[in-house]
Amino acid sequence: MRSFMDAKSMARDLRETLAARGHVLPHSACLELVAKQFGLADWNTLAARIERSGARRHPLPAAKGWRPTNLTDPARFRLGLDPERPGVALIESRIDRSEAAEAEAHFGCLMQSVSAEAYRGRTLRLSAELKADGAGLGTIWMRIDGASETGLRFDNMMERPQAGAISGTTAWLDRSVVLDVPGDAASLHYGFFLRGLGQIRARGFRLEVVDPSMTVTGGALARPERILPSTPVNLDFRRSEAGHA
């Protein structure tokens, strides 16, 4: 669903649609028409509203430990408490829908980290409710790291055929991740993220120890095998990457 923040791309789409039907209007006229669609007097009024909205940032969650991370471009996302819904966190894309083709390369994430000491040798479940509004993709995730920050366990629901990541527009949906905590675990990291366009809301996060018989949803992180050459190679620097002398 488009909002007034999409006004410029709406005007461009309107101009192209009208031109295809033989009605040529300048871009400025289309901007004025879009402003009228939102019940405003003119484009200047709508532009001022867009500027005010863009400058207003959601406050970060007051809960100690939450922080934004993995922002490919901080200007493309707003993250924090939903100002209209107490107890709900929000990640909102500010990417214009005219950039939809490139949008999936961008992520916004809220997360927190805790020590793994109290959870070693146990099974943990991370659960939350998620709600999507015109979202590219949204999900919860959890990762368990070793002392050297080496990933030991991970799941972000992306590979699940059912009850996994969500997209489009949805009602509130329950999602969970279950991982076993190795004895050499040092830290736990978890949260939720949005990829691409739209909005993802989250509420009711819980991190709890569960019965070890519960099926885990993720596992060890794959590490690429290192294949070493049997003899020294190119010690005189005379061969290029292409292998030519």
Side-chain angles (χ1 to χ4, degrees):
M1 179 182 299
R2 287 185 167 185
S3 71
F4 67 89
M5 296 295 289
D6 301 308
K8 289 184 178 180
S9 60
M10 291 173 66
R12 182 168 52 252
D13 292 346
L14 176 61
R15 183 183 181 188
E16 292 174 354
T17 299
L18 291 173
R21 299 180 180 181
H23 305 289
V24 179
L25 286 179
H27 186 62
S28 59
C30 292
L31 288 171
E32 296 292 338
L33 289 172
V34 170
K36 296 290 186 181
Q37 289 178 320
F38 286 107
L40 299 175
D42 52 35
W43 166 246
N44 287 337
T45 304
L46 178 54
R49 177 173 293 189
I50 292 171
E51 183 176 358
R52 288 195 302 271
S53 180
R56 186 173 60 250
R57 298 186 65 83
H58 302 311
L60 290 174
K64 187 176 181 179
W66 287 102
R67 65 186 188 278
T69 188
N70 284 355
L71 289 171
T72 51
D73 183 347
R76 293 179 180 269
F77 292 92
R78 293 193 294 182
L79 307 91
L81 296 178
D82 188 331
E84 300 177 357
R85 298 171 177 82
V88 175
L90 168 67
I91 303 177
E92 178 181 42
S93 173
R94 301 179 67 189
I95 303 172
D96 192 287
R97 291 189 178 271
S98 65
E99 302 177 78
E102 297 80 29
E104 289 198 358
H106 298 285
F107 291 78
C109 177
L110 273 174
M111 67 168 289
Q112 63 175 260
S113 303
V114 298
S115 170
E117 184 176 359
Y119 303 106
R120 291 172 187 152
R122 311 181 84 173
T123 302
L124 283 183
R125 177 172 61 193
L126 175 74
S127 58
E129 290 182 271
L130 295 179
K131 186 178 188 297
D133 184 2
L137 182 144
T139 186
I140 65 172
W141 60 274
M142 180 163 59
R143 190 184 75 243
I144 302 173
D145 285 355
S148 61
E149 298 186 357
T150 301
L152 302 176
R153 301 287 188 273
F154 180 70
D155 183 17
N156 64 4
M157 308 195 308
M158 299 277 282
E159 302 300 322
R160 297 187 201 174
Q162 296 181 333
I166 66 175
S167 60
T169 299
T170 72
W172 285 104
L173 299 171
D174 294 319
R175 290 294 184 265
S176 63
V177 168
V178 180
L179 296 176
D180 63 303
V181 185
D184 58 345
S187 57
L188 311 175
H189 312 272
Y190 49 85
F192 74 110
F193 70 76
L194 167 67
R195 183 180 75 189
L197 303 174
Q199 299 175 339
I200 288 290
R201 289 176 169 83
R203 68 185 183 188
F205 265 93
R206 296 180 64 187
L207 183 66
E208 56 191 335
V209 176
V210 295
D211 192 284
S213 64
M214 180 171 286
T215 302
V216 297
T217 59
L221 287 169
R223 295 184 177 87
E225 181 182 357
R226 295 181 64 194
I227 302 176
L228 302 178
S230 58
T231 59
V233 176
N234 200 27
L235 297 183
D236 59 1
F237 303 111
R238 291 183 179 274
R239 288 166 57 188
S240 68
E241 286 296 325
H244 301 299

